[in-house]
Amino acid sequence: MAYDPKDPADKKIVDDLIAKALADAKEELDDYKAGVDKKNKELLKKIKELREGKGDADEVTALEAQLETVQAELKTVNKALKDITKERDNLKVTSEAEGKFSRDLLIENGLTEALVASKVGEHYLPAAKKLLADQVDIKTEGATRSVVTKDGKPLREFVTAWAQSDQGKHFVIATANGGGNSPGGNAPGSNQTDLSKLPPMERITAYRDQQAARK
Protein backbone atom coordinates (compact mmCIF):
# COMPACT_ATOMS: atom_id res chain seq x y z
CA MET A 1 0.00 0.00 0.00
CA ALA A 2 1.33 3.44 -0.95
CA TYR A 3 2.24 5.97 1.72
CA ASP A 4 -0.59 8.40 2.44
CA PRO A 5 0.64 11.62 4.12
CA LYS A 6 -2.93 12.35 5.27
CA ASP A 7 -3.20 9.02 7.07
CA PRO A 8 -2.23 9.54 10.76
CA ALA A 9 -0.85 6.00 11.00
CA ASP A 10 1.39 6.45 7.93
CA LYS A 11 2.46 9.91 9.13
CA LYS A 12 3.44 8.51 12.53
CA ILE A 13 5.54 5.75 10.95
CA VAL A 14 7.49 8.31 8.92
CA ASP A 15 7.81 10.70 11.88
CA ASP A 16 9.14 7.87 14.05
CA LEU A 17 11.70 6.94 11.40
CA ILE A 18 12.86 10.56 11.11
CA ALA A 19 13.05 10.87 14.91
CA LYS A 20 15.12 7.67 15.08
CA ALA A 21 17.48 8.91 12.36
CA LEU A 22 17.92 12.25 14.16
CA ALA A 23 18.55 10.50 17.48
CA ASP A 24 21.17 8.22 15.87
CA ALA A 25 22.85 11.18 14.17
CA LYS A 26 22.94 13.11 17.45
CA GLU A 27 24.47 10.13 19.25
CA GLU A 28 27.20 9.87 16.61
CA LEU A 29 27.88 13.61 16.84
CA ASP A 30 28.03 13.42 20.64
CA ASP A 31 30.64 10.65 20.41
CA TYR A 32 32.60 12.56 17.79
CA LYS A 33 32.45 15.76 19.85
CA ALA A 34 33.76 13.87 22.89
CA GLY A 35 36.81 12.80 20.86
CA VAL A 36 37.44 16.31 19.56
CA ASP A 37 37.03 17.75 23.07
CA LYS A 38 39.60 15.29 24.38
CA LYS A 39 42.07 16.16 21.62
CA ASN A 40 41.55 19.88 22.26
CA LYS A 41 42.32 19.48 25.98
CA GLU A 42 45.39 17.36 25.28
CA LEU A 43 46.79 19.94 22.89
CA LEU A 44 46.13 22.82 25.30
CA LYS A 45 47.84 20.92 28.10
CA LYS A 46 50.86 20.02 25.96
CA ILE A 47 51.27 23.58 24.65
CA LYS A 48 51.07 24.93 28.19
CA GLU A 49 53.70 22.49 29.42
CA LEU A 50 56.03 23.32 26.56
CA ARG A 51 55.68 27.05 27.12
CA GLU A 52 56.22 26.78 30.85
CA GLY A 53 59.25 24.56 30.31
CA LYS A 54 60.47 26.74 27.49
CA GLY A 55 60.21 23.87 25.05
CA ASP A 56 61.06 23.85 21.40
CA ALA A 57 59.40 26.82 19.64
CA ASP A 58 58.85 24.89 16.43
CA GLU A 59 57.02 22.13 18.31
CA VAL A 60 54.80 24.71 20.03
CA THR A 61 54.01 26.29 16.66
CA ALA A 62 53.11 22.92 15.18
CA LEU A 63 50.88 22.08 18.14
CA GLU A 64 49.19 25.47 17.94
CA ALA A 65 48.40 24.81 14.27
CA GLN A 66 46.87 21.47 15.26
CA LEU A 67 44.93 23.20 18.02
CA GLU A 68 43.52 25.73 15.59
CA THR A 69 42.31 22.93 13.31
CA VAL A 70 40.78 20.99 16.23
CA GLN A 71 39.01 24.07 17.60
CA ALA A 72 37.56 24.86 14.18
CA GLU A 73 36.36 21.26 14.00
CA LEU A 74 34.90 21.58 17.47
CA LYS A 75 33.02 24.72 16.43
CA THR A 76 31.58 22.90 13.41
CA VAL A 77 30.45 19.88 15.41
CA ASN A 78 28.87 22.12 18.07
CA LYS A 79 26.87 23.91 15.38
CA ALA A 80 25.80 20.58 13.87
CA LEU A 81 24.65 19.39 17.29
CA LYS A 82 22.72 22.60 17.86
CA ASP A 83 21.01 22.29 14.46
CA ILE A 84 20.11 18.63 14.86
CA THR A 85 18.77 19.22 18.39
CA LYS A 86 16.61 22.05 17.11
CA GLU A 87 15.34 19.89 14.24
CA ARG A 88 14.55 17.07 16.66
CA ASP A 89 12.68 19.40 19.01
CA ASN A 90 10.73 20.98 16.14
CA LEU A 91 9.75 17.53 14.88
CA LYS A 92 8.53 16.59 18.35
CA VAL A 93 6.42 19.75 18.68
CA THR A 94 4.96 19.34 15.18
CA SER A 95 4.26 15.66 15.72
CA GLU A 96 2.51 16.34 19.03
CA ALA A 97 0.41 19.13 17.48
CA GLU A 98 -0.57 16.96 14.52
CA GLY A 99 -1.32 14.07 16.86
CA LYS A 100 -3.67 16.24 18.92
CA PHE A 101 -5.35 17.57 15.78
CA SER A 102 -5.87 14.04 14.43
CA ARG A 103 -7.20 12.87 17.80
CA ASP A 104 -9.62 15.78 18.12
CA LEU A 105 -10.80 15.32 14.53
CA LEU A 106 -11.37 11.60 15.03
CA ILE A 107 -13.41 12.25 18.17
CA GLU A 108 -15.33 15.07 16.47
CA ASN A 109 -16.25 12.92 13.48
CA GLY A 110 -17.05 9.89 15.60
CA LEU A 111 -19.36 11.84 17.90
CA THR A 112 -21.09 13.57 14.98
CA GLU A 113 -21.81 10.26 13.27
CA ALA A 114 -23.08 8.62 16.47
CA LEU A 115 -25.24 11.61 17.47
CA VAL A 116 -26.82 11.90 14.04
CA ALA A 117 -27.58 8.18 14.13
CA SER A 118 -29.31 8.76 17.49
CA LYS A 119 -31.52 11.47 15.91
CA VAL A 120 -29.94 14.42 17.74
CA GLY A 121 -31.05 17.68 16.11
CA GLU A 122 -28.48 19.21 13.78
CA HIS A 123 -28.44 22.55 15.59
CA TYR A 124 -27.86 20.75 18.90
CA LEU A 125 -24.83 18.79 17.69
CA PRO A 126 -22.19 21.32 18.86
CA ALA A 127 -23.63 21.42 22.39
CA ALA A 128 -24.03 17.65 22.53
CA LYS A 129 -20.46 17.04 21.33
CA LYS A 130 -19.11 19.48 23.88
CA LEU A 131 -20.98 17.62 26.62
CA LEU A 132 -19.68 14.21 25.60
CA ALA A 133 -16.14 14.95 24.39
CA ASP A 134 -14.55 14.61 27.84
CA GLN A 135 -16.11 11.18 28.28
CA VAL A 136 -14.50 9.56 25.24
CA ASP A 137 -10.99 8.67 24.15
CA ILE A 138 -9.04 7.03 21.32
CA LYS A 139 -8.38 3.29 21.33
CA THR A 140 -5.39 2.17 19.26
CA GLU A 141 -5.00 -1.39 18.00
CA GLY A 142 -2.06 -1.69 15.63
CA ALA A 143 -2.68 0.79 12.84
CA THR A 144 -6.40 1.04 13.68
CA ARG A 145 -7.80 3.79 15.90
CA SER A 146 -11.36 4.08 17.11
CA VAL A 147 -13.35 6.30 19.46
CA VAL A 148 -14.57 4.63 22.65
CA THR A 149 -15.62 5.76 26.11
CA LYS A 150 -12.90 6.14 28.70
CA ASP A 151 -13.96 2.83 30.21
CA GLY A 152 -13.74 1.12 26.81
CA LYS A 153 -17.37 0.96 25.68
CA PRO A 154 -18.17 1.33 21.94
CA LEU A 155 -19.03 4.92 21.02
CA ARG A 156 -22.32 4.14 19.25
CA GLU A 157 -23.58 2.15 22.23
CA PHE A 158 -22.62 4.95 24.63
CA VAL A 159 -24.26 7.70 22.55
CA THR A 160 -27.43 5.67 22.02
CA ALA A 161 -27.80 5.21 25.78
CA TRP A 162 -27.06 8.89 26.39
CA ALA A 163 -29.67 10.00 23.84
CA GLN A 164 -32.27 8.04 25.81
CA SER A 165 -31.21 9.50 29.16
CA ASP A 166 -32.90 12.39 30.97
CA GLN A 167 -30.19 14.72 29.72
CA GLY A 168 -29.83 13.43 26.18
CA LYS A 169 -33.50 13.18 25.28
CA HIS A 170 -33.76 16.98 25.20
CA PHE A 171 -31.42 17.00 22.20
CA VAL A 172 -33.30 14.37 20.23
CA ILE A 173 -35.76 15.33 17.50
CA ALA A 174 -38.83 13.12 17.87
CA THR A 175 -40.74 11.80 14.86
CA ALA A 176 -43.39 14.36 13.86
CA ASN A 177 -46.98 13.49 14.73
CA GLY A 178 -50.19 14.41 12.84
CA GLY A 179 -48.39 15.06 9.54
CA GLY A 180 -46.75 18.29 10.75
CA ASN A 181 -43.05 19.08 11.05
CA SER A 182 -43.08 20.24 14.64
CA PRO A 183 -41.05 18.12 17.09
CA GLY A 184 -42.77 15.85 19.58
CA GLY A 185 -42.55 15.85 23.35
CA ASN A 186 -38.93 14.72 23.37
CA ALA A 187 -37.69 17.50 21.05
CA PRO A 188 -35.14 19.87 22.55
CA GLY A 189 -36.87 22.76 24.29
CA SER A 190 -40.39 21.42 23.65
CA ASN A 191 -41.52 22.58 27.10
CA GLN A 192 -40.19 24.50 30.07
CA THR A 193 -40.23 21.47 32.35
CA ASP A 194 -37.70 19.71 30.11
CA LEU A 195 -35.52 22.80 29.88
CA SER A 196 -35.52 23.20 33.63
CA LYS A 197 -33.81 19.86 34.01
CA LEU A 198 -30.77 21.06 32.06
CA PRO A 199 -27.73 22.66 33.72
CA PRO A 200 -27.81 26.50 33.55
CA MET A 201 -25.53 27.02 30.52
CA GLU A 202 -27.18 24.23 28.53
CA ARG A 203 -30.61 25.61 29.46
CA ILE A 204 -29.67 29.05 28.10
CA THR A 205 -28.34 27.57 24.84
CA ALA A 206 -31.40 25.35 24.39
CA TYR A 207 -33.76 28.26 25.14
CA ARG A 208 -32.07 30.52 22.59
CA ASP A 209 -32.24 27.81 19.95
CA GLN A 210 -35.89 27.23 20.75
CA GLN A 211 -36.70 30.92 20.34
CA ALA A 212 -34.73 31.10 17.08
CA ALA A 213 -36.62 28.09 15.71
CA ARG A 214 -39.97 29.78 16.41
CA LYS A 215 -39.12 32.91 14.39
Side-chain angles (χ1 to χ4, degrees), residues 167-185:
Q167 182 189 62
K169 68 182 181 181
H170 302 291
F171 295 80
V172 176
I173 300 296
T175 302
N177 294 317
N181 292 322
S182 59

Side-chain angles (χ1 to χ4, degrees), residues 7-134:
D7 186 324
D10 285 358
K11 183 72 167 58
K12 186 177 186 308
I13 290 172
V14 173
D15 284 349
D16 287 348
L17 288 172
I18 294 173
K20 177 67 167 57
L22 289 172
D24 289 345
K26 185 178 184 304
E27 186 175 347
E28 290 179 8
L29 282 171
D30 282 334
D31 290 342
Y32 184 71
K33 180 179 183 296
V36 177
D37 273 331
K38 182 180 179 182
K39 182 67 174 177
N40 183 61
K41 290 175 182 176
E42 288 174 350
L43 285 169
L44 286 170
K45 181 180 178 182
K46 191 174 292 186
I47 290 170
K48 181 180 179 183
E49 290 173 349
L50 285 171
R51 284 175 173 168
E52 290 177 348
K54 294 184 179 179
D56 184 82
D58 290 340
E59 186 177 1
V60 171
T61 300
L63 288 175
E64 286 176 337
Q66 289 183 44
L67 179 64
E68 185 177 345
T69 299
V70 167
Q71 289 183 339
E73 196 171 356
L74 187 59
K75 183 177 180 181
T76 299
V77 77
N78 279 332
K79 183 180 185 305
L81 272 170
K82 182 179 179 181
D83 290 344
I84 206 167
T85 299
K86 182 179 180 180
E87 187 175 352
R88 181 200 61 188
D89 292 344
N90 287 342
L91 176 66
K92 181 180 178 182
V93 170
T94 301
S95 181
E96 288 176 351
E98 289 178 347
K100 183 180 184 305
F101 175 79
S102 296
R103 177 186 180 279
D104 292 347
L105 185 60
L106 192 60
I107 289 176
E108 165 90 8
N109 291 342
L111 281 172
T112 298
E113 183 178 327
L115 288 165
V116 169
S118 294
K119 309 300 182 186
V120 169
E122 183 178 353
H123 53 295
Y124 287 97
L125 288 175
K129 284 186 284 188
K130 188 172 182 179
L131 280 173
L132 301 180
D134 289 340

